[in-house]
Every structure is written in C-alpha cells, then in structure tokens.
Amino acid sequence: MGCCSGRCTLIFICTLQLVLALERQVFDFLGYQWAPILANFFHIIIVILGLFGTIQYRPRYIIVYTVWAALWVAWNVFVICFYLDVGGLSKDSDLLTFNISAHHSWWSEHGPGCVRREMPQAPGVRTTESHSYITVMHSSTQILVALLGFVYACYVVSAITEEEDSFDFIGGFDPFPLYHVNEKPSHFLLKPMYLST
C-alpha cells in the first residue's frame, strides 16, 4: 500500500474524528449533557482503537471501528431528531441529562452573540431564535466524517485481508517448495564416512 492509499486516508479521517469528538466533548461537558458525554467518550476510545488498528495492520480493530461508525451515525441521527423535535422528541426534555440536572445544550443557552434574549412566545408558535441548528450542524458533520470513515475502513480491511491471503508462507502454497526430495538419485549425495584407526 502506498502513502496516498486508503490506509493513510483512514488515518487522517480518524485523526479528524478525534479532534471533532474532543471539541464536542468540551461543549457537552459545559452543558452537563451526560448521555452525549458518555457517547463521545466511547467514540474517542473506539476511534483510537481504529487508528491503532490502521497503523498496525490489525483488521479486527478496524472492523470494531467500522461497526462503531455505523452506531455513531445512528446516534447522531437521534441527536438531530432530538434537537429538531422530530417524532415526539423534545429538546426541552431532560433526556440527554438523564434527568439529573435542568441544564440544556451549551449552545442553546450560550449560542452565538453575547446577549441572551428571552422572547415571549405565543402558545403553539415556534421561533427560529433557537440555537439548535448549531447542534444539528455538529451532528451532521459527525455523520459525514463517520460515513467516510466507514467506507475507508471497509476498503482498508479488504486490502489488508487480500494482502494476507496472497502472502506465501515458507513451504506454503508454492508448487515448487524450498524443501523437496529429489526424485532421482544423485551421485553427489553425502554419505557418512567411517574412519578407521
């Protein structure tokens, strides 16, 4: 595999995922979002495992990373649905904090701009002032990078296993093995010599 191969691309994607996950972890800690904190923690561990597997040519670790990438996409789709109030989910619920604290996403409490304004809202009217689009943007970025990681991880696993299958062990599948018995007798065979004293 060359330097510009899928392996190097997967190393770059895993490094990018680590940076994005650490950034997300910081803001989830600021907002006391305990479910995302745990998900990010597992994500960081599995991405490090996938990075190690890619560097060390360990396809089993990369397969674990691949399975996690699919689960990570599902988690981020849930987060997007949660913050967009899709399917009976409500961003005002304490679901992501495990009902331990009354905090919400750091972005919804301290979004862009220095002054936080509370606008009276009529019942049944939704405003566009919520900062949930920032969380949706974070999750969308995570989905995109995870899908790229999934595709390249599948490619790297197939390339590594193909290389392992084509490797010739000593005396393995070679039609003319290194250690073979001569079929016709040779006059040059060594015979034991007895010395008489």
Side-chain angles (χ1 to χ4, degrees), residues 63-118:
I63 290 171
V64 169
Y65 166 78
T66 305
V67 170
W68 176 257
L71 293 173
W72 187 244
V73 168
W75 167 256
N76 282 291
V77 167
F78 167 75
V79 170
I80 288 172
C81 291
F82 181 80
Y83 281 103
L84 293 179
D85 297 329
V86 175
L89 296 171
S90 172
K91 66 180 168 258
D92 296 327
S93 72
D94 294 330
L95 183 66
L96 295 181
T97 60
F98 295 136
N99 295 324
I100 295 174
S101 66
H103 289 89
H104 296 288
S105 169
W106 186 87
W107 292 106
S108 66
E109 293 180 359
H110 303 92
C114 297
V115 179
R116 182 170 179 212
R117 297 179 301 181
E118 293 293 330

Side-chain angles (χ1 to χ4, degrees), residues 11-21 142 145:
I11 290 171
F12 173 75
I13 289 172
C14 287
T15 306
L16 179 64
Q17 276 186 317
L18 280 177
V19 170
L20 291 174
Q142 293 283 340
V145 175

